[in-house]
């Protein structure tokens, strides 16, 4: 038994075998993204950030590949139970219990099973998986391996969005290093088991982050989602049962195996185990990616961790979990950031992208930019998403440019409400939900744009968008 | 690896590379599934487990709206029109992808559902051009109909609509993106149904568009299925666009006049200056065996009918030149001449060549006319398959022939020779889709790597000309294996293949013209030893089978009864006792001056069979045709004939499926072959009531309908009246002879109601006559491809333009 | 069609990673594009034949992914993010600034063929907004001055 000290929290772990001690944050030269820190942080997935852990030797010094060795000695069911009991929920957005998802994979399968890491990270406001790939790629590999052991898969794929080319290179190197050491490949750790892991790069498409579209993309096709059922756990990649998880989700798994389900569960709130990488962005004094316990108070996050709203501005709204989540108004931000509490507050914890909007911003424009994104990224498969996003975008453009009419406001809401729950995949919902919230919560601001009035928030002389 | 092999690999169980998992339709899984019971709108519904909810609803008369769902194509769930409420599910579910479940409670009609459908339509219409008044699909548009039903008429959309110029993808396919609703039916029917994969989806989101395989144009089989299946006017036909409004046409379902498969094609006709013009062909009501299918010829190649070279006046050679004449003058001349020759030189100085494209009634009448009126057995036609040998081999065997419909359902198919994709497009469709949807096993033996090998369970390439050896080997001649063995297929492999085939139940054995004569007997000996095996013999023209069944042979009467005697015909007809001359025989007789007269009905032997045009220069030649063909130009008399789209009757496809031919178009100045034969008989002074069994009217009444007294034609009229159908009948109406055919020709005693209702009636050869040893070498395949159709095809502008766009030289494909 | 040895090595390594050849399509296209600059007809034909696909299938895939292009672009593809996190921190100003400086608009290329400008969706740099990517390099916490320096540096790089 040893004590874990993570941030301010002292936690007893149930893992006597490994010395799972917190590594001190060191000031490594950081090539791309600036790292931030705050005393409230509880470092689990980010514990090796800035430590040079992309280097395999360094990773091994930092408890690397211990979890997978431990998992090798475990029964698949006990791995799944451990993950279930840890309260780990998907970090990709939907927040589904990871252990539960793994348990859906049939034990017997005529077709090969796969574990697939979703590193397509494209939800506006989200930039966390990027840090994991950059600073701790082996933890993702280890997560995939443990997932594979749990469900009986022999291969895993790590899909990284195309724009992240440097991360793909880092991941390639990490995988090659792990192969060279015999950690992956044939007879891993002398266990007699074979396990292959490959990398795969995307080429720019938000929709491909959706799990079934990701599989299509990996199979070399257009990223059009699949009809479900059958769910990926039963029929996934190349028709085989497939576990698909977000990179952060998988990166948490080795820590759960080493630290124990109990420890992990207690980091967060009931049914919301562990911590989360929150990506603070927008009108906030200290933007950055902070690892905070599940259930951390949003208001505190904004004002303590993020340093409040800069330039003497006031908070107008927060998008709590990436662009697809309905915004919370300044009055609504006193909320615990776990899946259930945010849902109760009428929004979603989503992918952890906390976008802060101050009172100098125009909500109509914000809504327009959000819809422009979904219109651009809609795969075009189903009518409501393809046509609805286009229609709302066009209306908002006219509206924001001063040609708005009162009925447009109702029309936007009508369209969004008629998209909601009726599209082929959740992208349509992702476009509709924030729109409905903007219109409902900021109707007055919409009305300020009526009657040919110029946008009250537009800086004088501001140009039109370059690209409509 | 060529594209074909890739698919072959797929059907061997590798991962499908084209269709996403979960979207495939495999109806074989539905077989032998237990039933489940569910409730839809309060009605109890029972359906096999695995049935899609949308299909289950249909069984109790509940129509769930849909755009993207199309039976037998992969599932899309894209249009969201079929959203229904399934109890215990939080969101509305798509009925097109939901599988029925035990105890499921479904609501297909509620305010929420209506609103969902209405809003889908509103969103679609937002970017839809609404140019319905000029759109080809106007009046036949699923989007229009749906909008009418769900009332999305109020326009909320104010923005500029996304525009894209219309594109022409081929001589026959135009694409208008703004009208497209992206249901992907076209993409699927082209890929999954046709195995052509010429259409794809380009771009994403609202800029998605259907794209042809060659960027700005199509390279495909030009079947036009994409146009037919398009629910809106996005894909339109180059042959039809902007010609008329659908409601201005009459739609006549008849049989395609091109290959031997017998697709039902619905012709859209419109009044024109010269009669009734055919403006469109499609498979509107999908009631034929071809269901959704039509190939380029069935869909577009009706346009020969109003080709500018169409003959519309009788021609008589005067001073060496074919000169327009009146009908009276012409019939009188022909009648006089024929009678003269017959009376002076005997019937054996007259030759008759029949058609593979006229109706059964006409072929039968011609056969009868030759024997009874001209008193000759010199009768033949362009033979493209050895039906007499088939009939001889199948005699006495019940249920031994397969219908075209059977090909779609058979558990296994053996195909030797032929290339159905090119020569029998419907057969190829049936085979392909049987394999795709029911996992039929296809055994292929061919000298060429034909396209159907992509669907084959096993493909064996054999040297050209060894098809007959295959038949011998299958029937047990092991020595034949020596000739067949090759490095890729050794003796053991051949034996293994035969063993495998021996295990197949209900196998359909299909063979082309490569197998004839005794080889047919061998093949049938082999097949008859298998449980439930059936046969199909492939012939090339629309009524090749009818021509054979109706006895257009020098030694065979209708039903393969020998001219020598022993059939019912000999009791009713006065038949010359000795067999007549076949076509080469007639040519020889012509050369030696023994053939004094030649009567050619709807055939172009000089153009098609390499006959010396001077062979008959000493004979009086009468030709009935639509055009001045190579044969017509040497004639003494040319009679302008109507084609199969301009007359009524029946035709028999290569499988033996009989169907009703209905009159659609009409060109003034032409007559049906049937009428012309009757009128020539009349002009010869023959009592036409002995030719066509109609009532007791007088000579002057020809052309009038008669009271019901005696004669089969009148019975037909009475019968029609009893069935509530129009009793319009004259001795010039081919239906007047149908009763006689049904009574005398074995196998043709099929249900009249079904025939007249437009259904297919399969004939069997069980009771046919013994046939006769035909000369296998007299068979001359037409060598038509997808874009050619004998002499007729040359007069189709559409086929011509498609060939030009494909840079296929007609001479290359039509050479025979 | 000839690709570099590096491409060939990558391709050869990649294909056996998957149970179907086609699976290598998307990354292969991106690597080919990196090398040739865009996906020319020739590249499409070559990749289609290597992966047993029709050219139509390859084109359908290309047109789905926003990073893939069948049109030539400048040597440096300046991709400015204007999505929400960047927008509220002045991402649009960066875009306009680039447009003015380079004298081109969205998806246009400078006459010297050096720069193409593109307004892009979120590139995953939200906490370091506003951000842009030039080819695969990220540039974050941008100001117009910083953007100037960056563009100048690329220009210098090209002329060296
Ligand atoms: C339109 C759309 C985009 C998505 N994009 C991502 C993404 O970029 N990264 C991700 O991990 N999950 C994304 N998801 C969620 C995935 O579908 C899936 O739920 C997730 O990868 C499962 O992993 P998890 O259970 O670990 O969260 C997206 C979902 C939708 C509907
Ligand atoms: S072209 Fe027609 S059939 Fe094809 S997707 Fe568009 S609307 Fe559907
Ligand atoms: S028919 Fe079900 S979604 Fe189109």
């Amino acid at each position: 038994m040893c004590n874990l000290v993570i941030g301010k929290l002292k936690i007893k772990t149930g893992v006597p075998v490994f010395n799972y001690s917190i590594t001190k944050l060191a000031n490594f030269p950081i090539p791309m993204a600036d790292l931030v820190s705050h005393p409230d942080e509880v470092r689990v997935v980010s514990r090796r950030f800035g430590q040079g852990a992309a280097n395999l030797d360094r990773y091994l010094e930092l408890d690397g590949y211990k979890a997978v060795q431990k998992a090798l000695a475990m029964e698949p069911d006990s791995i799944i139970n451990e993950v279930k009991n840890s309260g780990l929920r998907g970090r990709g957005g939907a927040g589904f219990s990871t252990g539960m998802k793994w348990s859906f994979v049939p034990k017997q399968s005529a077709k090969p099973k796969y574990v697939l890491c979703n590193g397509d990270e494209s939800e506006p406001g989200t930039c966390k998986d990027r840090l994991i790939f950059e600073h701790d790629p082996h933890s993702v590999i280890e997560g995939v391996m443990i997932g594979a052991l749990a469900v009986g898969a022999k291969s895993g794929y790590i899909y990284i969005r195309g724009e992240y080319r440097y991360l793909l290179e880092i991941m390639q190197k990490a995988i090659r290093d792990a192969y060279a050491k015999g950690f992956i490949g044939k007879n891993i750790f002398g266990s007699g088991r074979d396990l292959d892991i490959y990398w795969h790069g995307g080429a720019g498409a938000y929709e491909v982050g959706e799990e079934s579209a990701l599989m299509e993309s990996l199979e070399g096709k257009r990223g059009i989602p699949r009809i479900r059922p059958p769910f990926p756990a039963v029929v996934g990649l190349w028709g085989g049962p497939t576990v698909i998880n977000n990179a952060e989700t998988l990166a948490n798994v080795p820590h759960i195996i080493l630290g124990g389900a109990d420890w992990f569960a207690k980091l967060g709130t009931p049914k919301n185990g562990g911590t989360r990488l929150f990506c603070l962005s927008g009108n906030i004094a200290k933007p950055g990616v902070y690892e905070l316990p599940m259930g951390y108070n949003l208001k505190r996050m904004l004002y303590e961790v993020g340093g409040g709203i800069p330039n003497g501005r006031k908070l107008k709204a927060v998008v709590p979990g990436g662009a697809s989540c309905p915004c919370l108004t300044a009055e609504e931000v006193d909320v615990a950031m776990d899946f259930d509490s945010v849902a109760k507050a009428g929004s979603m914890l989503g992918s952890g992208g906390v976008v802060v909007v101050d009172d100098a911003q125009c909500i109509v424009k914000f809504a327009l930019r959000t819809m422009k994104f979904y219109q651009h990224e809609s795969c075009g498969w189903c009518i409501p998403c393809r046509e609805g996003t286009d229609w709302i975008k066009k209306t908002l453009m006219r509206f924001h440019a001063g040609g708005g009419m009162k009925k447009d406001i109702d029309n936007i809401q009508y369209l969004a409400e008629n998209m909601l729950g009726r599209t082929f995949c959740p992208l349509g919902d992702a476009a509709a939900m924030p729109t409905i919230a903007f219109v409902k919560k900021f109707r007055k601001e919409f009305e300020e744009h009526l009657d040919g009035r110029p946008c009250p928030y537009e800086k004088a002389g501001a140009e039109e968008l370059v690209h409509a | 690896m060529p594209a074909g092999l890739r698919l072959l690999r797929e059907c061997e169980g590798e991962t499908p590379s084209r269709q996403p998992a979960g979207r495939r339709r495999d109806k074989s899984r539905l077989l032998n599934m237990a039933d489940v019971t569910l409730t839809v709108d309060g009605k109890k519904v029972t359906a096999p487990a695995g049935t899609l909810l949308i299909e289950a609803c249909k069984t109790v008369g509940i129509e769930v709206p849909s755009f993207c769902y199309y039976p037998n194509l992969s599932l899309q769930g894209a249009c969201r029109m079929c959203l229904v409420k399934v109890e215990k599910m939080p969101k509305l579910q798509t009925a097109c992808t939901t599988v029925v479940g035990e105890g499921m409670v479904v609501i297909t009609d509620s305010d929420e559902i209506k609103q969902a459908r209405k809003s889908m339509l509103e969103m679609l219409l937002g970017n839809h051009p609404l140019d319905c008044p000029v759109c080809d699909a106007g009046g036949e548009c699923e989007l229009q109909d749906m909008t009418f039903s769900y009332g999305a008429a109020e326009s909320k959309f104010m923005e500029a609509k996304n525009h894209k110029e219309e594109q022409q993808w081929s001589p026959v396919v135009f694409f208008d993106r703004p009208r497209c609703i992206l249901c992907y039916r076209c993409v699927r029917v082209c890929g999954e149904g046709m195995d052509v994969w010429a259409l794809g989806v380009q771009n994403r989101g609202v800029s998605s568009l259907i794209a042809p395989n060659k960027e700005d144009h199509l390279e495909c089989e030009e079947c036009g299925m994409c146009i037919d299946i398009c629910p809106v006017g996005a894909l339109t036909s180059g042959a039809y666009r902007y010609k008329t409004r659908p409601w201005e046409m009459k739609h006549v379902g008849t049989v395609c006049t091109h290959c031997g498969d017998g697709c039902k094609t619905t012709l859209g006709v419109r009044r024109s200056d010269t009669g009734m013009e055919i403006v469109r062909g499609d498979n509107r009501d999908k009631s034929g065996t071809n269901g959704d299918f039509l190939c380029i010829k069935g869909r577009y190649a009706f346009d020969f009918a109003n080709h500018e070279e169409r003959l519309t006046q009788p021609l008589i050679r005067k001073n060496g030149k074919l000169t327009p004449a009146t009908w009276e003058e012409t019939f009188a001349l022909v009648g006089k001449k024929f009678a003269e020759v017959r009376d002076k030189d005997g019937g054996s100085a007259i030759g008759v060549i029949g058609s593979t494209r006229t109706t059964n009634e006409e072929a039968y009448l011609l056969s009868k006319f030759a024997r009874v009126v001209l008193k000759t057995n010199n009768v033949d036609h362009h033979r493209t398959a050895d039906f007499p040998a088939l009939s001889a081999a199948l005699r006495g065997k019940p249920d031994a022939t397969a219908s075209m419909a059977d090909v779609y359902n058979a558990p296994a198919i053996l195909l030797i020779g032929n290339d159905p994709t090119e020569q029998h497009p419907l057969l190829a469709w049936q085979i392909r889709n049987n394999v795709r949807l029911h996992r039929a096993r296809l055994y292929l033996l061919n000298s060429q790597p034909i396209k159907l090998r992509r669907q084959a369970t096993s493909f064996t390439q054999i040297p050209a000309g060894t098809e007959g050896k295959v038949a011998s080997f299958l029937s047990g001649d092991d020595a034949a294996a020596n000739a067949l063995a090759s490095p890729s297929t050794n003796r053991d492999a051949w034996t293994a293949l035969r063993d495998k085939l021996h295990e197949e139940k209900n196998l359909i054995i299909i063979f082309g013209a490569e197998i004839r004569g005794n080889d047919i007997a061998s093949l049938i000996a082999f097949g008859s030893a298998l449980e439930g095996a059936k046969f199909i013999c492939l012939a090339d023209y629309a009524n090749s089978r009818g021509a054979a069944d109706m006895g257009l042979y020098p030694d065979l009467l209708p039903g393969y009864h020998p001219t020598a005697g022993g059939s019912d015909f000999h009791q009713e007809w006065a038949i010359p006792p000795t067999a007549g001359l076949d076509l080469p025989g007639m040519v020889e007789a012509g050369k030696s001056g023994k053939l004094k007269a030649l009567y050619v009905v709807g055939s172009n032997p000089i153009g098609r069979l390499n006959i010396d045009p001077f062979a008959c220069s000493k004979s009086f030649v009468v030709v009935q045709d639509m055009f001045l063909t190579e044969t017509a130009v040497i004639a003494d008399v040319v009679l302008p004939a109507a084609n199969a789209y301009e007359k009524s009757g029946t035709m028999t496809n290569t499988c033996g499926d009989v169907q009703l031919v209905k009159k659609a178009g009409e060109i003034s100045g032409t007559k049906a072959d049937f009428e012309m034969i009757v009128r020539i008989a009349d002009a010869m002074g023959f009592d036409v009531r002995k030719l066509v069994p109609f009532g007791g009217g007088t000579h002057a009444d020809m052309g009038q309908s008669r009271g019901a007294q005696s004669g089969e034609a009148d019975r037909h009229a009475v019968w029609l009246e009893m069935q509530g159908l129009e009793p319009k009948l004259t001795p010039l109406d081919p239906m007047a002879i149908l009763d006689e055919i049904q009574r005398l020709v074995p196998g043709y005693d099929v249900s009249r109601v079904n025939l007249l209702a437009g259904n297919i009636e399969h004939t069997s050869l069980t009771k046919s006559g013994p046939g006769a040893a035909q000369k296998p070498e007299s068979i001359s395949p037409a060598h038509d491809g997808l874009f050619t159709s004998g002499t007729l095809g040359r007069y189709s502008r559409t086929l011509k333009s498609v060939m030009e766009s494909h840079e296929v030289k007609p001479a290359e494909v039509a050479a025979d | 069609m000839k690709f570099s040895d590096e491409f060939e090595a990558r391709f050869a390594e990649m294909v056996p990673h998957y149970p179907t050849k086609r699976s290598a399509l998307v990354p292969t296209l991106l690597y080919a594009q990196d090398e040739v600059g865009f996906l020319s007809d020739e590249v499409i034909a070559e990749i289609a034949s290597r992966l047993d696909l029709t050219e139509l299938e390859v084109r359908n895939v290309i047109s789905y992914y926003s990073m893939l292009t069948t049109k030539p672009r400048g040597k440096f593809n300046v991709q400015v993010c204007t999505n929400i996190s960047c927008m509220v921190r002045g991402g649009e100003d960066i875009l306009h600034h680039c447009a003015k400086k380079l004298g081109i608009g969205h998806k246009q290329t400078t006459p010297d063929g050096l720069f193409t400008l593109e307004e892009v969706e979120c590139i995953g740099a939200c906490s370091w907004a506003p951000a842009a990517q030039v080819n695969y390099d990220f540039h974050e916490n941008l100001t117009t001055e910083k953007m100037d320096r960056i563009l100048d540096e690329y220009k210098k790089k090209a002329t060296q």
Side-chain angles (χ1 to χ4, degrees), chain B residues 67-68 169 174-177 179-189 199 201 209-210 225-235:
Chain B
F67 287 123
C68 70
W169 285 348
F174 283 72
F175 177 64
D176 188 335
R177 165 62 180 103
R179 290 182 190 155
C180 173
I181 61 170
L182 288 167
C183 64
Y184 316 110
R185 286 188 196 173
C186 50
V187 177
R188 284 173 287 160
V189 81
L199 294 176
V201 186
L209 52 99
I210 306 300
M225 299 275 296
C226 52
I227 300 170
D228 217 12
I229 208 165
C230 181
V232 295
L235 285 159

Side-chain angles (χ1 to χ4, degrees), chain B residues 1 6 17-18 198-204 212-213 215, chain C residues 20 22 41 52-54 56-57 59-60 63-66:
Chain B
M1 195 193 306
R6 172 174 62 239
S17 75
R18 288 208 159 89
L199 294 176
V201 186
Q202 197 70 0
N203 305 335
R204 71 175 186 218
N213 54 357
E215 286 190 83
Chain C
T20 61
R22 161 166 208 161
D41 291 351
D52 296 340
L53 295 168
T54 64
L56 176 69
E57 284 169 313
R59 281 180 201 282
N60 291 168
S63 65
Y64 179 88
Y65 293 92
S66 43

Side-chain angles (χ1 to χ4, degrees), chain B residues 423-748:
Chain B
Q423 299 166 36
H424 292 275
L426 170 60
L427 183 78
W429 166 270
Q430 298 287 80
I431 294 176
R432 260 194 322 266
N433 288 293
N434 188 3
V435 170
R436 176 171 68 94
L437 297 165
H438 313 128
R439 305 221 172 158
R441 291 168 297 282
L442 171 65
Y443 303 92
L444 217 59
L445 294 146
N446 207 296
S447 62
Q448 298 301 317
I450 59 170
K451 189 180 148 206
L452 271 177
R453 80 190 182 288
R454 302 194 209 175
Q455 275 72 33
T457 312
S458 98
F459 170 63
T460 313
Q461 195 157 357
I462 52 174
T466 58
E467 291 84 357
K469 283 262 184 307
V470 171
S472 318
F473 171 73
L474 290 178
S475 68
D477 174 8
D478 284 333
N482 290 332
L484 291 167
S486 71
S488 57
T489 320
N490 60 21
R491 271 193 74 107
D492 290 347
W494 276 105
T495 314
L497 177 65
R498 185 171 61 189
D499 291 348
K500 188 97 194 39
L501 289 168
H502 270 291
E503 287 163 21
E504 290 291 0
K505 286 186 192 128
N506 303 323
L507 177 72
I508 295 188
I509 300 173
I510 307 175
F511 54 96
E514 295 90 339
I515 296 188
R516 316 168 179 181
N518 292 332
D519 293 332
I520 291 186
S522 305
L523 194 59
I524 281 160
F526 155 74
S528 304
L530 310 183
E531 193 182 324
K534 292 185 180 186
F535 299 89
I536 292 174
C537 168
L538 298 174
D540 295 339
Y541 293 106
N543 205 26
S544 282
R545 174 66 182 268
D549 285 359
M550 296 305 135
L552 291 178
Y553 285 105
D555 48 356
L556 293 176
L557 299 170
Y560 307 95
H561 289 294
T563 46
S567 73
D568 292 346
F569 290 101
H570 292 84
Q571 269 138 50
E572 305 207 5
W573 299 2
I575 297 163
T578 51
L581 299 170
D582 60 7
L583 213 147
M586 290 184 232
V587 171
E588 282 316 306
K591 282 183 182 158
S592 65
K594 282 188 203 134
L595 196 78
K596 300 283 191 246
L598 180 65
Y599 183 30
V600 184
V601 176
S603 180
N604 179 18
I606 294 182
R608 300 289 291 164
L609 298 170
N610 266 335
I611 290 166
D612 177 2
F614 297 103
C616 301
S617 49
K618 292 178 209 120
S619 325
F620 174 70
V621 180
V622 178
V623 173
Q624 290 177 193
D625 210 310
M626 278 191 289
F627 301 103
L628 265 189
T629 63
E630 290 86 340
T631 308
V633 285
I634 62 123
D636 296 285
V637 173
V638 183
L639 291 153
N643 59 58
Y645 292 151
E646 297 161 353
K647 59 174 92 152
S648 318
T650 63
M651 278 197 188
T652 310
N653 78 356
T654 194
C655 307
D657 301 330
V658 187
Q659 293 182 83
L660 190 71
V661 170
K662 278 200 202 160
K663 178 170 174 163
E666 181 166 342
I667 297 280
S668 63
T670 66
K671 285 190 193 297
D673 293 300
F674 193 92
E675 176 175 347
M676 294 195 278
I677 299 168
V678 173
R679 290 207 185 267
I680 290 172
D682 182 47
M684 288 173 75
F686 191 83
D687 176 4
V688 290
R689 264 163 303 197
K690 296 208 174 107
L691 193 60
V692 184
F694 77 110
T698 63
H699 184 267
D701 288 331
M702 243 173 79
Q704 309 289 314
S705 49
R706 295 295 309 154
Q709 285 305 322
S710 59
E712 287 173 317
D714 295 313
R715 282 216 295 281
H716 176 72
V718 172
W719 186 91
L720 281 171
E721 188 128 49
M722 280 163 54
Q723 305 296 327
L725 300 166
E726 205 183 348
K728 200 182 79 202
L729 185 75
T730 82
L732 305 177
D733 181 343
M735 290 320 249
I737 212 161
L738 183 59
D739 263 355
E740 187 175 310
I741 293 176
Q742 291 209 275
R743 181 166 58 80
L744 288 177
V745 183
Y748 279 76

Side-chain angles (χ1 to χ4, degrees), chain B residues 9-23:
Chain B
R9 217 178 47 200
E10 276 178 30
C11 42
E12 281 160 2
E14 258 194 55
T15 326
S17 75
R18 288 208 159 89
Q19 260 169 278
R23 289 212 185 107

Side-chain angles (χ1 to χ4, degrees), chain C residues 39-57:
Chain C
L39 297 166
S40 61
D41 291 351
E42 205 187 359
V43 172
I44 291 170
E46 172 69 21
I47 291 177
S49 85
R50 284 192 190 197
L51 298 179
D52 296 340
L53 295 168
T54 64
E55 289 178 30
L56 176 69
E57 284 169 313

Side-chain angles (χ1 to χ4, degrees), chain B residues 52-238:
Chain B
L52 295 169
L53 188 51
I54 197 168
E55 289 292 345
C57 287
K58 280 184 198 162
T59 63
V60 290
I62 296 172
E63 183 87 24
V64 177
S66 69
F67 287 123
C68 70
Y69 173 72
Y70 201 89
N72 296 333
L73 294 179
S74 64
L75 305 181
Q76 312 288 285
C79 73
R80 321 303 289 172
M81 283 305 292
C82 66
L83 289 170
V84 294
K85 179 85 197 151
V86 178
E87 211 165 73
K88 296 198 195 101
M89 301 278 231
K91 294 183 192 174
L92 297 180
Q93 302 291 311
T94 46
C96 70
T97 61
T98 304
V99 167
V100 293
E102 185 60 47
M104 203 179 232
V105 178
V106 181
I107 293 167
T108 72
D109 201 10
S110 68
D111 288 346
E112 182 193 15
I113 292 166
K114 275 201 197 97
Q115 175 54 37
R117 292 172 185 164
K118 179 178 168 190
S119 67
M120 289 317 147
L121 291 167
E122 284 169 335
M123 291 195 230
L124 263 187
L125 295 175
N127 261 323
H128 195 86
L130 297 175
D131 55 351
C132 314
V134 294
C135 176
D136 273 354
E140 293 181 329
C141 170
E142 294 180 29
L143 182 58
Q144 270 184 346
D145 294 349
M146 214 82 97
T147 307
F148 187 79
S149 307
Y150 292 95
E154 179 203 357
S155 179
K156 295 190 167 79
F157 196 71
M158 292 174 50
E159 320 309 320
K161 300 193 185 225
N162 301 332
H163 183 67
K164 196 144 178 39
E165 287 303 315
E166 193 184 30
Q167 297 179 332
Q168 179 170 16
W169 285 348
S170 94
V172 287
V173 185
F174 283 72
F175 177 64
D176 188 335
R177 165 62 180 103
R179 290 182 190 155
C180 173
I181 61 170
L182 288 167
C183 64
Y184 316 110
R185 286 188 196 173
C186 50
V187 177
R188 284 173 287 160
V189 81
C190 178
E192 299 162 20
M194 292 300 297
D195 192 21
V196 169
W197 307 96
L199 294 176
V201 186
Q202 197 70 0
N203 305 335
R204 71 175 186 218
V206 78
S207 34
S208 304
L209 52 99
I210 306 300
N213 54 357
K214 295 288 154 184
E215 286 190 83
D216 62 347
H217 70 278
L218 272 169
E219 191 178 291
C220 68
E221 295 176 9
E222 308 275 7
C223 65
M225 299 275 296
C226 52
I227 300 170
D228 217 12
I229 208 165
C230 181
V232 295
L235 285 159
T236 49
S237 147

